[in-house]
Amino acid sequence: MIDLSKIGPQYLDILREVGNIGAGNAATALSQMLNKTIDMNVPAVRVVPFKEIGDTVGGEETVVAAVFLLIEGDAPGNMFFMLPVNEASRFIQQLTGDPSIDFSDEPLNEMASSALNEVGNILAGSYLSALSDFTKLNLQPTPPAIAVDMTTAILSFGLVELSRAGDYAIVIDTEINEKNNDDTVRSKGHFFLLPDPESLNKILQALGVPLDG
Amino acid sequence: MGEVVKVGMADLNIAKPPQTIRTSGLGSCVGIILYDEKINISGMAHIMLPDSSYARAGLLNRAKYADTAINDLMDILSKEGVAKYRIKAKIAGGAQMFKFSSNNEAMRIGPRNVEAVKLILEKLKIPIVYEDVGGSSGRTIEFDPMTSLLEIRTVNKGVVQV
């Protein structure tokens, strides 16, 4: 069993590299969808204790719109993509051309939800296919589900399986930069890859960096 | 207003006036408050899983599981002079954050956490004075040991005091 708190920085670098390639693919797909240049990169991959996980998205109670997917196949786990609720609204307004979309409304606009689901799907799919290419592992996302709520409330849902083996998660920060004519708008998108305990070992082994115990 | 004692995910702590005790963003997790109205001491646990047999590895964070967390909290409160027969409980959380078509067991973890907490409290003969459990919304809770009031905040539904 891997103790995530003792994972070496070299392993995180490899995960970051894979993340960057996945982000590159996702950016291409999103750029085509939105018909504008979208840049994505992974500034950091971090091991975060559960207690501090809310802070990674700007505070435990920050309201976010989140897309959740289960990873099935050789290395099961969970994935989240989340955006602060205002940014999610702006993003989907642009995508759908409907300026009335607001993710803080309840019940959620169906069109808005399915658009955000689609974005989450594309991002997750891009990440997973990059990871699959590198590891030769078969990784498939389930259909996405969406929720708008407090960061920690949402994340805890994905930490259940992981929490059976430890108190740490791997967070892949993702920055989305939208290039307008004059300036760049930076969105604080966060991507959480939460492989099940055994899966991380499989992934690292497949990447050629086996861990000792 | 006194200091706020923060309880993180898979964590527990106690508070005395003028402190209040708080945990943020309970999703499928359950927040358990055990309190003694007579001497105004309260404890809070933020559990993630129903019982410690779920643990896989040797290392056990006892605050993560309903059974071990409640037992430990009881021990700490006893050392603080809380009388077992006076302890009452308020609980909140155990939501199902996502609606999934998949039949994955993990999807039901919220309701199972609630069941486990209730069962343990019943065994210990601790009355549950208030519960706000289930649903599909996250909750932030803050308890004031002076007044025994629990404040529950839910996104889009505002704040209630119970």
Side-chain angles (χ1 to χ4, degrees), chain A residues 50 60-61 68 104 106 142-143 145-147 149-150 152-153 156-157 159-161 163-164 166-167 198, chain B residues 6 9 22 24-27 29 48-49 54-56 61 64 97-98 100 107 109 137-138 140 153 155-156:
Chain A
F50 288 174
E60 296 177 323
E61 289 180 56
F68 176 56
S104 33
E106 229 179 41
T142 59
I146 198 167
D149 215 304
M150 303 172 200
T152 353
S156 62
F157 192 81
L159 295 177
V160 166
E161 193 58 32
S163 75
R164 294 172 63 181
D167 300 296
E198 295 82 2
Chain B
K6 287 190 84 178
M9 196 184 293
R22 170 189 174 91
S24 298
L26 291 163
C29 302
M48 297 183 79
L49 288 162
Y54 278 73
R56 291 191 199 177
N61 171 1
K64 195 189 292 171
M97 300 301 298
F98 292 89
F100 246 91
M107 299 305 136
I109 198 71
S137 296
T140 284
R153 202 169 75 76
V155 174
N156 284 337

mmCIF file of all heavy atoms in Angstrom, chain A residues 50 60-61 68 104 106 142-143 145-147 149-150 152-153 156-157 159-161 163-164 166-167 198, chain B residues 6 9 22 24-27 29 48-49 54-56 61 64 97-98 100 107 109 137-138 140 153 155-156:
data_model
loop_
_atom_site.group_PDB
_atom_site.id
_atom_site.type_symbol
_atom_site.label_atom_id
_atom_site.label_comp_id
_atom_site.label_asym_id
_atom_site.label_seq_id
_atom_site.Cartn_x
_atom_site.Cartn_y
_atom_site.Cartn_z
ATOM 1 N N PHE A 50 -6.564 15.566 3.523
ATOM 2 C CA PHE A 50 -8.009 15.812 3.442
ATOM 3 C C PHE A 50 -8.408 17.095 4.165
ATOM 4 O O PHE A 50 -9.255 17.846 3.711
ATOM 5 C CB PHE A 50 -8.793 14.653 4.066
ATOM 6 C CG PHE A 50 -8.776 13.405 3.236
ATOM 7 C CD1 PHE A 50 -9.334 12.234 3.712
ATOM 8 C CD2 PHE A 50 -8.210 13.410 1.967
ATOM 9 C CE1 PHE A 50 -9.323 11.078 2.950
ATOM 10 C CE2 PHE A 50 -8.188 12.258 1.202
ATOM 11 C CZ PHE A 50 -8.746 11.089 1.699
ATOM 12 N N GLU A 60 -13.173 26.181 1.837
ATOM 13 C CA GLU A 60 -14.034 25.014 1.989
ATOM 14 C C GLU A 60 -15.469 25.273 1.569
ATOM 15 O O GLU A 60 -16.185 24.389 1.164
ATOM 16 C CB GLU A 60 -14.037 24.581 3.462
ATOM 17 C CG GLU A 60 -12.690 24.126 3.955
ATOM 18 C CD GLU A 60 -12.709 23.777 5.427
ATOM 19 O OE1 GLU A 60 -13.411 24.472 6.187
ATOM 20 O OE2 GLU A 60 -12.033 22.818 5.797
ATOM 21 N N GLU A 61 -15.899 26.523 1.722
ATOM 22 C CA GLU A 61 -17.305 26.802 1.460
ATOM 23 C C GLU A 61 -17.546 27.518 0.144
ATOM 24 O O GLU A 61 -18.663 27.920 -0.147
ATOM 25 C CB GLU A 61 -17.888 27.618 2.613
ATOM 26 C CG GLU A 61 -18.024 26.786 3.858
ATOM 27 C CD GLU A 61 -18.597 27.595 4.989
ATOM 28 O OE1 GLU A 61 -19.680 28.157 4.819
ATOM 29 O OE2 GLU A 61 -17.920 27.683 6.033
ATOM 30 N N PHE A 68 -18.558 15.300 -11.981
ATOM 31 C CA PHE A 68 -17.963 14.124 -11.352
ATOM 32 C C PHE A 68 -18.049 12.930 -12.278
ATOM 33 O O PHE A 68 -19.093 12.681 -12.884
ATOM 34 C CB PHE A 68 -18.711 13.829 -10.040
ATOM 35 C CG PHE A 68 -18.265 12.583 -9.334
ATOM 36 C CD1 PHE A 68 -16.940 12.408 -8.992
ATOM 37 C CD2 PHE A 68 -19.174 11.597 -8.986
ATOM 38 C CE1 PHE A 68 -16.520 11.263 -8.327
ATOM 39 C CE2 PHE A 68 -18.765 10.451 -8.313
ATOM 40 C CZ PHE A 68 -17.431 10.284 -7.978
ATOM 41 N N SER A 104 -26.119 29.441 -10.053
ATOM 42 C CA SER A 104 -26.589 29.553 -8.667
ATOM 43 C C SER A 104 -28.109 29.486 -8.580
ATOM 44 O O SER A 104 -28.671 29.505 -7.492
ATOM 45 C CB SER A 104 -26.025 30.810 -7.988
ATOM 46 O OG SER A 104 -25.863 31.845 -8.887
ATOM 47 N N GLU A 106 -31.708 27.653 -8.713
ATOM 48 C CA GLU A 106 -32.212 26.314 -8.419
ATOM 49 C C GLU A 106 -33.674 26.222 -8.843
ATOM 50 O O GLU A 106 -34.415 27.162 -8.585
ATOM 51 C CB GLU A 106 -32.075 26.016 -6.925
ATOM 52 C CG GLU A 106 -31.421 24.686 -6.689
ATOM 53 C CD GLU A 106 -31.238 24.347 -5.227
ATOM 54 O OE1 GLU A 106 -32.152 24.622 -4.434
ATOM 55 O OE2 GLU A 106 -30.196 23.796 -4.911
ATOM 56 N N THR A 142 -17.130 7.080 -16.674
ATOM 57 C CA THR A 142 -18.573 6.844 -16.708
ATOM 58 C C THR A 142 -19.241 8.133 -17.174
ATOM 59 O O THR A 142 -18.611 9.185 -17.200
ATOM 60 C CB THR A 142 -19.123 6.531 -15.302
ATOM 61 O OG1 THR A 142 -18.820 7.654 -14.455
ATOM 62 C CG2 THR A 142 -18.506 5.277 -14.723
ATOM 63 N N PRO A 143 -20.534 8.085 -17.523
ATOM 64 C CA PRO A 143 -21.233 9.334 -17.823
ATOM 65 C C PRO A 143 -21.121 10.284 -16.628
ATOM 66 O O PRO A 143 -21.131 9.841 -15.484
ATOM 67 C CB PRO A 143 -22.679 8.893 -18.028
ATOM 68 C CG PRO A 143 -22.588 7.462 -18.416
ATOM 69 C CD PRO A 143 -21.399 6.907 -17.698
ATOM 70 N N ALA A 145 -21.822 13.283 -13.796
ATOM 71 C CA ALA A 145 -22.921 13.805 -12.986
ATOM 72 C C ALA A 145 -22.506 15.179 -12.496
ATOM 73 O O ALA A 145 -21.310 15.474 -12.385
ATOM 74 C CB ALA A 145 -23.198 12.882 -11.814
ATOM 75 N N ILE A 146 -23.478 16.016 -12.203
ATOM 76 C CA ILE A 146 -23.151 17.397 -11.878
ATOM 77 C C ILE A 146 -23.754 17.786 -10.526
ATOM 78 O O ILE A 146 -24.795 17.274 -10.129
ATOM 79 C CB ILE A 146 -23.679 18.325 -13.005
ATOM 80 C CG1 ILE A 146 -23.013 19.690 -12.950
ATOM 81 C CG2 ILE A 146 -25.171 18.493 -12.941
ATOM 82 C CD1 ILE A 146 -23.288 20.461 -14.220
ATOM 83 N N ALA A 147 -23.062 18.672 -9.820
ATOM 84 C CA ALA A 147 -23.615 19.233 -8.583
ATOM 85 C C ALA A 147 -23.065 20.636 -8.391
ATOM 86 O O ALA A 147 -21.946 20.934 -8.799
ATOM 87 C CB ALA A 147 -23.263 18.361 -7.386
ATOM 88 N N ASP A 149 -22.395 23.047 -5.267
ATOM 89 C CA ASP A 149 -22.432 23.068 -3.800
ATOM 90 C C ASP A 149 -21.074 23.495 -3.268
ATOM 91 O O ASP A 149 -20.206 23.904 -4.026
ATOM 92 C CB ASP A 149 -22.824 21.685 -3.265
ATOM 93 C CG ASP A 149 -23.677 21.785 -2.000
ATOM 94 O OD1 ASP A 149 -23.216 22.415 -1.039
ATOM 95 O OD2 ASP A 149 -24.795 21.252 -2.000
ATOM 96 N N MET A 150 -20.906 23.361 -1.929
ATOM 97 C CA MET A 150 -19.640 23.720 -1.315
ATOM 98 C C MET A 150 -18.546 22.736 -1.735
ATOM 99 O O MET A 150 -18.794 21.532 -1.823
ATOM 100 C CB MET A 150 -19.760 23.657 0.209
ATOM 101 C CG MET A 150 -20.849 24.531 0.789
ATOM 102 S SD MET A 150 -20.987 24.150 2.560
ATOM 103 C CE MET A 150 -22.629 24.758 2.893
ATOM 104 N N THR A 152 -15.933 21.321 -0.268
ATOM 105 C CA THR A 152 -15.625 20.137 0.540
ATOM 106 C C THR A 152 -16.742 19.117 0.472
ATOM 107 O O THR A 152 -16.484 17.911 0.472
ATOM 108 C CB THR A 152 -15.417 20.493 2.034
ATOM 109 O OG1 THR A 152 -15.416 21.886 2.176
ATOM 110 C CG2 THR A 152 -14.164 19.895 2.557
ATOM 111 N N ALA A 153 -17.976 19.594 0.445
ATOM 112 C CA ALA A 153 -19.110 18.674 0.398
ATOM 113 C C ALA A 153 -19.024 17.822 -0.865
ATOM 114 O O ALA A 153 -19.281 16.619 -0.844
ATOM 115 C CB ALA A 153 -20.420 19.441 0.440
ATOM 116 N N SER A 156 -15.690 15.438 -0.796
ATOM 117 C CA SER A 156 -15.702 14.337 0.159
ATOM 118 C C SER A 156 -16.331 13.101 -0.463
ATOM 119 O O SER A 156 -15.969 11.974 -0.166
ATOM 120 C CB SER A 156 -16.453 14.730 1.427
ATOM 121 O OG SER A 156 -17.798 15.011 1.124
ATOM 122 N N PHE A 157 -17.248 13.351 -1.353
ATOM 123 C CA PHE A 157 -17.931 12.271 -2.054
ATOM 124 C C PHE A 157 -16.939 11.396 -2.821
ATOM 125 O O PHE A 157 -17.060 10.180 -2.865
ATOM 126 C CB PHE A 157 -18.933 12.894 -3.020
ATOM 127 C CG PHE A 157 -19.909 11.945 -3.598
ATOM 128 C CD1 PHE A 157 -21.019 11.566 -2.872
ATOM 129 C CD2 PHE A 157 -19.727 11.423 -4.865
ATOM 130 C CE1 PHE A 157 -21.930 10.681 -3.406
ATOM 131 C CE2 PHE A 157 -20.639 10.545 -5.408
ATOM 132 C CZ PHE A 157 -21.746 10.173 -4.671
ATOM 133 N N LEU A 159 -13.787 11.174 -2.124
ATOM 134 C CA LEU A 159 -12.662 10.756 -1.288
ATOM 135 C C LEU A 159 -12.961 9.491 -0.507
ATOM 136 O O LEU A 159 -12.089 8.936 0.148
ATOM 137 C CB LEU A 159 -12.303 11.869 -0.299
ATOM 138 C CG LEU A 159 -11.785 13.160 -0.930
ATOM 139 C CD1 LEU A 159 -11.548 14.202 0.154
ATOM 140 C CD2 LEU A 159 -10.510 12.900 -1.699
ATOM 141 N N VAL A 160 -14.213 9.029 -0.599
ATOM 142 C CA VAL A 160 -14.625 7.897 0.223
ATOM 143 C C VAL A 160 -13.743 6.670 0.011
ATOM 144 O O VAL A 160 -13.177 6.125 0.954
ATOM 145 C CB VAL A 160 -16.105 7.553 -0.036
ATOM 146 C CG1 VAL A 160 -16.453 6.201 0.541
ATOM 147 C CG2 VAL A 160 -16.992 8.619 0.562
ATOM 148 N N GLU A 161 -13.594 6.287 -1.231
ATOM 149 C CA GLU A 161 -12.829 5.079 -1.531
ATOM 150 C C GLU A 161 -11.365 5.266 -1.099
ATOM 151 O O GLU A 161 -10.772 4.418 -0.447
ATOM 152 C CB GLU A 161 -12.932 4.773 -3.026
ATOM 153 C CG GLU A 161 -12.442 3.404 -3.420
ATOM 154 C CD GLU A 161 -13.172 2.278 -2.697
ATOM 155 O OE1 GLU A 161 -14.371 2.422 -2.369
ATOM 156 O OE2 GLU A 161 -12.520 1.250 -2.446
ATOM 157 N N SER A 163 -10.255 7.253 1.078
ATOM 158 C CA SER A 163 -10.088 7.468 2.515
ATOM 159 C C SER A 163 -9.954 6.155 3.280
ATOM 160 O O SER A 163 -9.540 6.141 4.422
ATOM 161 C CB SER A 163 -11.253 8.276 3.065
ATOM 162 O OG SER A 163 -12.396 7.467 3.167
ATOM 163 N N ARG A 164 -10.277 5.051 2.625
ATOM 164 C CA ARG A 164 -10.114 3.764 3.294
ATOM 165 C C ARG A 164 -8.644 3.435 3.478
ATOM 166 O O ARG A 164 -8.288 2.608 4.292
ATOM 167 C CB ARG A 164 -10.801 2.661 2.485
ATOM 168 C CG ARG A 164 -12.308 2.854 2.447
ATOM 169 C CD ARG A 164 -12.964 1.892 1.497
ATOM 170 N NE ARG A 164 -12.781 0.521 1.923
ATOM 171 C CZ ARG A 164 -13.244 -0.520 1.241
ATOM 172 N NH1 ARG A 164 -13.906 -0.324 0.122
ATOM 173 N NH2 ARG A 164 -13.061 -1.736 1.676
ATOM 174 N N GLY A 166 -6.021 6.048 3.404
ATOM 175 C CA GLY A 166 -5.158 7.147 3.835
ATOM 176 C C GLY A 166 -5.912 8.446 3.984
ATOM 177 O O GLY A 166 -7.136 8.468 3.910
ATOM 178 N N ASP A 167 -5.180 9.487 4.198
ATOM 179 C CA ASP A 167 -5.789 10.795 4.441
ATOM 180 C C ASP A 167 -5.290 11.840 3.452
ATOM 181 O O ASP A 167 -5.329 13.023 3.736
ATOM 182 C CB ASP A 167 -5.457 11.264 5.857
ATOM 183 C CG ASP A 167 -5.992 10.299 6.898
ATOM 184 O OD1 ASP A 167 -7.214 10.162 6.970
ATOM 185 O OD2 ASP A 167 -5.182 9.674 7.600
ATOM 186 N N GLU A 198 -5.063 1.179 -4.867
ATOM 187 C CA GLU A 198 -4.268 0.237 -5.673
ATOM 188 C C GLU A 198 -3.975 0.792 -7.063
ATOM 189 O O GLU A 198 -3.013 0.407 -7.707
ATOM 190 C CB GLU A 198 -4.993 -1.105 -5.836
ATOM 191 C CG GLU A 198 -5.190 -1.882 -4.555
ATOM 192 C CD GLU A 198 -6.387 -1.409 -3.762
ATOM 193 O OE1 GLU A 198 -7.092 -0.484 -4.237
ATOM 194 O OE2 GLU A 198 -6.621 -1.935 -2.656
ATOM 195 N N LYS B 6 -12.124 24.899 14.691
ATOM 196 C CA LYS B 6 -12.450 24.295 13.402
ATOM 197 C C LYS B 6 -12.178 22.798 13.410
ATOM 198 O O LYS B 6 -11.142 22.350 13.884
ATOM 199 C CB LYS B 6 -11.637 24.953 12.286
ATOM 200 C CG LYS B 6 -12.131 26.358 11.963
ATOM 201 C CD LYS B 6 -11.491 26.889 10.709
ATOM 202 C CE LYS B 6 -12.245 26.386 9.485
ATOM 203 N NZ LYS B 6 -11.662 26.938 8.236
ATOM 204 N N MET B 9 -12.168 17.642 7.886
ATOM 205 C CA MET B 9 -12.695 16.358 7.439
ATOM 206 C C MET B 9 -11.909 15.249 8.142
ATOM 207 O O MET B 9 -10.682 15.320 8.205
ATOM 208 C CB MET B 9 -12.516 16.283 5.919
ATOM 209 C CG MET B 9 -13.315 15.227 5.222
ATOM 210 S SD MET B 9 -12.893 15.193 3.456
ATOM 211 C CE MET B 9 -13.524 16.766 2.907
ATOM 212 N N ARG B 22 -17.005 24.331 14.777
ATOM 213 C CA ARG B 22 -17.564 24.400 13.443
ATOM 214 C C ARG B 22 -16.902 23.416 12.490
ATOM 215 O O ARG B 22 -15.710 23.163 12.581
ATOM 216 C CB ARG B 22 -17.304 25.838 12.961
ATOM 217 C CG ARG B 22 -17.568 26.153 11.542
ATOM 218 C CD ARG B 22 -17.001 27.559 11.302
ATOM 219 N NE ARG B 22 -17.063 27.927 9.917
ATOM 220 C CZ ARG B 22 -18.105 28.573 9.374
ATOM 221 N NH1 ARG B 22 -19.108 28.963 10.099
ATOM 222 N NH2 ARG B 22 -18.112 28.850 8.093
ATOM 223 N N SER B 24 -16.988 22.581 8.110
ATOM 224 C CA SER B 24 -17.483 23.112 6.842
ATOM 225 C C SER B 24 -17.690 22.022 5.801
ATOM 226 O O SER B 24 -16.931 21.062 5.739
ATOM 227 C CB SER B 24 -16.474 24.107 6.262
ATOM 228 O OG SER B 24 -16.325 25.181 7.121
ATOM 229 N N GLY B 25 -18.708 22.223 4.989
ATOM 230 C CA GLY B 25 -18.882 21.405 3.803
ATOM 231 C C GLY B 25 -19.070 19.923 4.062
ATOM 232 O O GLY B 25 -18.401 19.091 3.478
ATOM 233 N N LEU B 26 -20.018 19.591 4.915
ATOM 234 C CA LEU B 26 -20.382 18.187 5.076
ATOM 235 C C LEU B 26 -21.149 17.754 3.837
ATOM 236 O O LEU B 26 -22.173 18.342 3.509
ATOM 237 C CB LEU B 26 -21.284 18.001 6.296
ATOM 238 C CG LEU B 26 -20.704 18.195 7.695
ATOM 239 C CD1 LEU B 26 -21.846 18.380 8.689
ATOM 240 C CD2 LEU B 26 -19.855 17.000 8.082
ATOM 241 N N GLY B 27 -20.668 16.757 3.160
ATOM 242 C CA GLY B 27 -21.419 16.209 2.027
ATOM 243 C C GLY B 27 -21.996 14.880 2.466
ATOM 244 O O GLY B 27 -22.960 14.824 3.220
ATOM 245 N N CYS B 29 -20.384 13.036 4.344
ATOM 246 C CA CYS B 29 -19.890 12.911 5.717
ATOM 247 C C CYS B 29 -20.978 13.332 6.703
ATOM 248 O O CYS B 29 -21.932 14.002 6.339
ATOM 249 C CB CYS B 29 -18.685 13.819 5.934
ATOM 250 S SG CYS B 29 -17.306 13.505 4.831
ATOM 251 N N MET B 48 -16.229 10.262 7.919
ATOM 252 C CA MET B 48 -16.356 9.999 6.481
ATOM 253 C C MET B 48 -16.954 8.631 6.175
ATOM 254 O O MET B 48 -17.542 8.425 5.125
ATOM 255 C CB MET B 48 -14.980 10.044 5.814
ATOM 256 C CG MET B 48 -14.284 11.372 5.889
ATOM 257 S SD MET B 48 -12.726 11.326 4.992
ATOM 258 C CE MET B 48 -13.328 11.501 3.298
ATOM 259 N N LEU B 49 -16.724 7.670 7.076
ATOM 260 C CA LEU B 49 -17.116 6.284 6.804
ATOM 261 C C LEU B 49 -17.830 5.676 8.005
ATOM 262 O O LEU B 49 -17.581 6.071 9.146
ATOM 263 C CB LEU B 49 -15.875 5.445 6.463
ATOM 264 C CG LEU B 49 -15.233 5.697 5.089
ATOM 265 C CD1 LEU B 49 -13.816 5.157 5.044
ATOM 266 C CD2 LEU B 49 -16.074 5.075 3.979
ATOM 267 N N TYR B 54 -13.801 -0.620 7.669
ATOM 268 C CA TYR B 54 -13.591 -0.199 6.290
ATOM 269 C C TYR B 54 -12.120 0.114 6.009
ATOM 270 O O TYR B 54 -11.708 0.207 4.865
ATOM 271 C CB TYR B 54 -14.401 1.059 5.970
ATOM 272 C CG TYR B 54 -15.837 0.796 5.622
ATOM 273 C CD1 TYR B 54 -16.739 0.428 6.598
ATOM 274 C CD2 TYR B 54 -16.276 0.926 4.313
ATOM 275 C CE1 TYR B 54 -18.061 0.185 6.288
ATOM 276 C CE2 TYR B 54 -17.589 0.683 3.985
ATOM 277 C CZ TYR B 54 -18.492 0.307 4.976
ATOM 278 O OH TYR B 54 -19.789 0.060 4.663
ATOM 279 N N ALA B 55 -11.358 0.337 7.061
ATOM 280 C CA ALA B 55 -9.963 0.721 6.881
ATOM 281 C C ALA B 55 -9.184 -0.405 6.236
ATOM 282 O O ALA B 55 -9.370 -1.569 6.564
ATOM 283 C CB ALA B 55 -9.352 1.092 8.221
ATOM 284 N N ARG B 56 -8.327 -0.078 5.300
ATOM 285 C CA ARG B 56 -7.556 -1.112 4.617
ATOM 286 C C ARG B 56 -6.161 -1.249 5.182
ATOM 287 O O ARG B 56 -5.664 -2.321 5.382
ATOM 288 C CB ARG B 56 -7.405 -0.759 3.137
ATOM 289 C CG ARG B 56 -8.693 -0.854 2.400
ATOM 290 C CD ARG B 56 -8.405 -0.770 0.928
ATOM 291 N NE ARG B 56 -9.610 -0.402 0.220
ATOM 292 C CZ ARG B 56 -9.663 -0.193 -1.071
ATOM 293 N NH1 ARG B 56 -8.572 -0.301 -1.787
ATOM 294 N NH2 ARG B 56 -10.786 0.126 -1.641
ATOM 295 N N ASN B 61 -6.818 6.399 11.132
ATOM 296 C CA ASN B 61 -7.207 7.702 11.663
ATOM 297 C C ASN B 61 -8.586 7.522 12.282
ATOM 298 O O ASN B 61 -9.592 7.452 11.597
ATOM 299 C CB ASN B 61 -7.245 8.736 10.527
ATOM 300 C CG ASN B 61 -7.845 10.053 10.985
ATOM 301 O OD1 ASN B 61 -8.214 10.215 12.149
ATOM 302 N ND2 ASN B 61 -7.949 10.996 10.071
ATOM 303 N N LYS B 64 -11.958 9.288 11.527
ATOM 304 C CA LYS B 64 -12.584 9.166 10.206
ATOM 305 C C LYS B 64 -13.826 8.282 10.215
ATOM 306 O O LYS B 64 -14.671 8.369 9.330
ATOM 307 C CB LYS B 64 -11.543 8.592 9.235
ATOM 308 C CG LYS B 64 -11.894 8.742 7.789
ATOM 309 C CD LYS B 64 -10.926 7.965 6.918
ATOM 310 C CE LYS B 64 -9.541 8.553 6.939
ATOM 311 N NZ LYS B 64 -8.564 7.669 6.275
ATOM 312 N N MET B 97 -24.617 13.635 -2.791
ATOM 313 C CA MET B 97 -24.296 14.844 -3.546
ATOM 314 C C MET B 97 -24.582 14.721 -5.040
ATOM 315 O O MET B 97 -24.908 15.689 -5.691
ATOM 316 C CB MET B 97 -22.826 15.223 -3.341
ATOM 317 C CG MET B 97 -22.432 15.505 -1.901
ATOM 318 S SD MET B 97 -23.377 16.838 -1.149
ATOM 319 C CE MET B 97 -22.936 18.205 -2.198
ATOM 320 N N PHE B 98 -24.411 13.518 -5.564
ATOM 321 C CA PHE B 98 -24.606 13.343 -7.005
ATOM 322 C C PHE B 98 -25.659 12.285 -7.266
ATOM 323 O O PHE B 98 -25.740 11.298 -6.543
ATOM 324 C CB PHE B 98 -23.305 12.908 -7.680
ATOM 325 C CG PHE B 98 -22.250 13.972 -7.683
ATOM 326 C CD1 PHE B 98 -21.367 14.082 -6.627
ATOM 327 C CD2 PHE B 98 -22.148 14.869 -8.736
ATOM 328 C CE1 PHE B 98 -20.394 15.067 -6.617
ATOM 329 C CE2 PHE B 98 -21.188 15.850 -8.728
ATOM 330 C CZ PHE B 98 -20.303 15.955 -7.668
ATOM 331 N N PHE B 100 -26.488 9.474 -9.553
ATOM 332 C CA PHE B 100 -25.776 8.639 -10.506
ATOM 333 C C PHE B 100 -26.649 7.486 -10.935
ATOM 334 O O PHE B 100 -27.414 6.950 -10.147
ATOM 335 C CB PHE B 100 -24.527 8.062 -9.832
ATOM 336 C CG PHE B 100 -23.265 8.564 -10.431
ATOM 337 C CD1 PHE B 100 -22.663 9.700 -9.934
ATOM 338 C CD2 PHE B 100 -22.692 7.906 -11.497
ATOM 339 C CE1 PHE B 100 -21.495 10.163 -10.492
ATOM 340 C CE2 PHE B 100 -21.528 8.365 -12.055
ATOM 341 C CZ PHE B 100 -20.923 9.491 -11.555
ATOM 342 N N MET B 107 -21.851 5.245 -3.804
ATOM 343 C CA MET B 107 -22.872 6.266 -4.033
ATOM 344 C C MET B 107 -23.838 6.363 -2.857
ATOM 345 O O MET B 107 -24.483 7.367 -2.664
ATOM 346 C CB MET B 107 -23.680 5.933 -5.301
ATOM 347 C CG MET B 107 -22.856 5.885 -6.548
ATOM 348 S SD MET B 107 -21.960 7.421 -6.781
ATOM 349 C CE MET B 107 -20.376 6.812 -7.255
ATOM 350 N N ILE B 109 -22.999 6.144 0.313
ATOM 351 C CA ILE B 109 -22.221 6.271 1.544
ATOM 352 C C ILE B 109 -22.869 7.250 2.528
ATOM 353 O O ILE B 109 -22.814 7.031 3.734
ATOM 354 C CB ILE B 109 -20.745 6.637 1.238
ATOM 355 C CG1 ILE B 109 -19.875 6.341 2.441
ATOM 356 C CG2 ILE B 109 -20.576 8.072 0.790
ATOM 357 C CD1 ILE B 109 -19.673 4.878 2.696
ATOM 358 N N SER B 137 -27.818 18.206 -0.498
ATOM 359 C CA SER B 137 -27.083 19.455 -0.320
ATOM 360 C C SER B 137 -25.998 19.321 0.739
ATOM 361 O O SER B 137 -26.177 18.621 1.735
ATOM 362 C CB SER B 137 -28.027 20.574 0.135
ATOM 363 O OG SER B 137 -28.976 20.829 -0.856
ATOM 364 N N GLY B 138 -24.914 20.054 0.500
ATOM 365 C CA GLY B 138 -23.851 20.123 1.491
ATOM 366 C C GLY B 138 -24.243 21.045 2.632
ATOM 367 O O GLY B 138 -25.090 21.922 2.464
ATOM 368 N N THR B 140 -22.813 23.301 6.241
ATOM 369 C CA THR B 140 -21.793 23.776 7.165
ATOM 370 C C THR B 140 -22.472 23.968 8.502
ATOM 371 O O THR B 140 -23.565 24.536 8.571
ATOM 372 C CB THR B 140 -21.181 25.093 6.661
ATOM 373 O OG1 THR B 140 -20.289 24.786 5.605
ATOM 374 C CG2 THR B 140 -20.407 25.807 7.750
ATOM 375 N N ARG B 153 -25.918 25.828 7.737
ATOM 376 C CA ARG B 153 -25.949 26.639 6.523
ATOM 377 C C ARG B 153 -25.918 25.724 5.306
ATOM 378 O O ARG B 153 -25.112 24.805 5.223
ATOM 379 C CB ARG B 153 -24.737 27.565 6.486
ATOM 380 C CG ARG B 153 -24.932 28.776 5.603
ATOM 381 C CD ARG B 153 -23.824 29.789 5.800
ATOM 382 N NE ARG B 153 -22.593 29.364 5.162
ATOM 383 C CZ ARG B 153 -22.399 29.425 3.848
ATOM 384 N NH1 ARG B 153 -23.325 29.909 3.056
ATOM 385 N NH2 ARG B 153 -21.269 29.004 3.330
ATOM 386 N N VAL B 155 -26.228 25.762 0.935
ATOM 387 C CA VAL B 155 -26.195 26.605 -0.251
ATOM 388 C C VAL B 155 -27.612 26.735 -0.815
ATOM 389 O O VAL B 155 -28.320 25.747 -0.934
ATOM 390 C CB VAL B 155 -25.256 26.010 -1.324
ATOM 391 C CG1 VAL B 155 -25.325 26.801 -2.619
ATOM 392 C CG2 VAL B 155 -23.829 25.976 -0.805
ATOM 393 N N ASN B 156 -28.025 27.949 -1.103
ATOM 394 C CA ASN B 156 -29.351 28.227 -1.675
ATOM 395 C C ASN B 156 -30.509 28.089 -0.696
ATOM 396 O O ASN B 156 -31.646 28.337 -1.052
ATOM 397 C CB ASN B 156 -29.661 27.341 -2.892
ATOM 398 C CG ASN B 156 -28.911 27.821 -4.116
ATOM 399 O OD1 ASN B 156 -28.530 28.990 -4.189
ATOM 400 N ND2 ASN B 156 -28.704 26.936 -5.060
#
